[in-house]
Amino acid sequence: MTDTSAAGLPSSRLSIEVHGTAALLVDDCGRYLLHLRDANKPIWSPGTWGLLGGGTEPGETSAQGIARELREETGLTVPDLVPFLTVETLDASGTLKDRVLVYRGTLNRPAHEIPLHEGIQLRWTHPDETAYMTMDPGTAVVVHEHQRHPHPRVDSGGTPPTVRVRQGSEHRERSIVGAHLVLVRDGAVLLGRRHPDSPFAPSTWHVPAGHREPGESALACMVRETSEETGITIEARDLSLVHTLDQRNPWSPFPRLQLFFAASRWSGEPRVLEPDRCTEWKWWPLDALPGQLVEYTRTALTAIACGKTYTDSGWTE
């Protein structure tokens, strides 16, 4: 087997089964069919541009697996698929995390005519455009190798070359940061009923909250979200962090830091300013919270009442 290494790493034959398959589809103009993956889902490399493909099922060969994945994802049948490259992804310590057999094939069909059943978008892409896109690292290596060696190269056993991609030691897990307002007046906390069509917690009560935007501090996010959602004006200097909920959910690839801020003073009365998200605001006694309350909000409010500043949720030891 002829091995190459885009990351400058030595490579050797591993006696380990292929974890998945992918299709490098090229048109007559030298463009690649790239697939924008869903973000915020527990999938491989979410929110990036990558290749069509997926895992093989029990008893299925790699060739059968990639043919099935293409049919399921796009309805495509590509008759000239041939093994092109094996991509092994290693973590920072050098442990193998994933092994994908990439097949090369030819396709000449407008992207908008291809039905897509998984992910966000298909796009025919020139290789020089990939530098300005959020690329799956393995896909970027495959495109680079195809530019160097456009024709399949296999050994006497039909095995293609292997490239290894190592996640750098600087890689850290990303977290989503949410800011939440605990506004208490006369022993009652302000809660809003979420819209029944809301994708998250429909018709359920929740404190004013939101995710911070790029370049925005959590305090600035809290000030902005409070004004946008309720019309209440709060100064950042009047906010204090009263609880941090460190949350991992099985349906999200990213953990979430839910920060709860209390306000020492504010001005204005709550109004429904985003009726597509919240249908009403109401002051609820802290000792008589509604039954339909976002569960992690109930957890945080209970912890705050006990003077607890940190809670973790969903993590396993």
Side-chain angles (χ1 to χ4, degrees):
M1 179 173 66
T2 303
D3 290 341
T4 60
S5 177
L9 303 170
S11 182
S12 60
R13 184 189 300 270
L14 294 180
S15 57
I16 186 170
E17 64 182 7
V18 170
H19 299 160
T21 60
L24 180 69
L25 301 181
V26 188
D27 70 3
D28 291 342
C29 298
R31 300 179 302 174
Y32 302 103
L33 186 66
L34 297 184
H35 176 216
L36 180 58
R37 307 175 193 271
D38 291 301
N40 302 321
K41 284 188 176 181
I43 59 177
W44 182 266
S45 202
T48 63
W49 290 93
L51 303 177
L52 292 166
T56 54
E57 296 182 350
E60 189 176 54
T61 67
S62 297
Q64 292 168 337
I66 189 58
R68 174 186 51 76
E69 286 287 344
L70 286 176
R71 288 195 305 271
E72 291 177 355
E73 293 183 1
T74 64
L76 290 173
T77 299
V78 181
D80 67 341
L81 288 175
V82 292
F84 177 73
L85 202 64
T86 299
V87 178
E88 295 176 348
T89 300
L90 313 180
D91 64 16
S93 67
T95 302
L96 183 69
K97 294 184 64 178
D98 195 56
R99 193 166 192 256
V100 173
L101 179 57
V102 179
Y103 288 79
R104 184 204 181 282
T106 305
L107 184 70
N108 289 283
R109 183 174 175 181
H112 68 273
E113 293 183 359
I114 303 173
L116 182 63
H117 306 301
E118 298 179 19
I120 305 300
Q121 181 183 350
L122 293 174
R123 182 183 192 271
W124 284 108
T125 304
H126 289 282
D128 55 357
E129 294 178 302
T130 61
Y132 308 100
M133 301 167 68
T134 303
M135 296 287 293
D136 163 60
T139 298
V141 168
V142 171
V143 170
H144 175 73
E145 286 298 309
H146 185 262
Q147 289 295 298
R148 294 176 59 207
H149 306 286
H151 302 294
R153 298 169 296 145
V154 297
D155 63 15
S156 58
T159 302
T162 295
V163 294
R164 287 183 170 183
V165 180
R166 176 175 284 181
Q167 294 181 335
S169 59
E170 73 280 1
H171 174 76
R172 296 292 185 271
E173 188 172 50
R174 167 188 166 191
S175 293
I176 298 173
V177 176
H180 303 69
L181 181 64
V182 182
L183 203 61
V184 178
R185 183 175 70 184
D186 300 327
V189 63
L190 181 65
L191 299 176
R193 188 195 294 271
R194 297 181 62 79
H195 195 280
D197 293 333
S198 173
F200 169 70
S203 302
T204 305
W205 294 91
H206 194 30
V207 293
H211 297 125
R212 67 178 180 181
E213 297 180 350
E216 183 179 53
S217 70
L219 279 176
C221 171
M222 193 75 273
V223 170
R224 175 183 55 80
E225 289 286 353
T226 300
S227 175
E228 292 176 354
E229 291 186 6
T230 71
I232 291 175
T233 300
I234 296 179
E235 299 291 337
R237 63 176 178 268
D238 295 322
L239 289 169
S240 59
L241 181 65
V242 292
H243 194 74
T244 299
L245 195 146
D246 188 1
Q247 184 182 41
R248 176 176 283 281
N249 295 309
W251 45 264
S252 174
F254 303 120
R256 295 169 184 257
L257 278 179
Q258 311 289 23
L259 306 179
F260 288 78
F261 295 93
S264 59
R265 58 181 177 177
W266 66 90
S267 62
E269 291 294 324
R271 293 174 289 146
V272 176
L273 299 183
E274 296 178 332
D276 59 324
R277 299 183 181 182
C278 175
T279 58
E280 63 174 309
W281 294 105
K282 182 178 176 180
W283 297 94
W284 285 86
L286 286 167
D287 59 358
L289 296 173
Q292 288 187 303
L293 178 65
V294 171
E295 192 57 38
Y296 79 79
T297 301
R298 186 186 303 278
T299 298
L301 292 177
T302 301
I304 292 169
C306 298
K308 188 177 179 182
T309 59
Y310 174 85
T311 301
D312 58 17
S313 174
W315 295 92
T316 56
E317 296 299 331

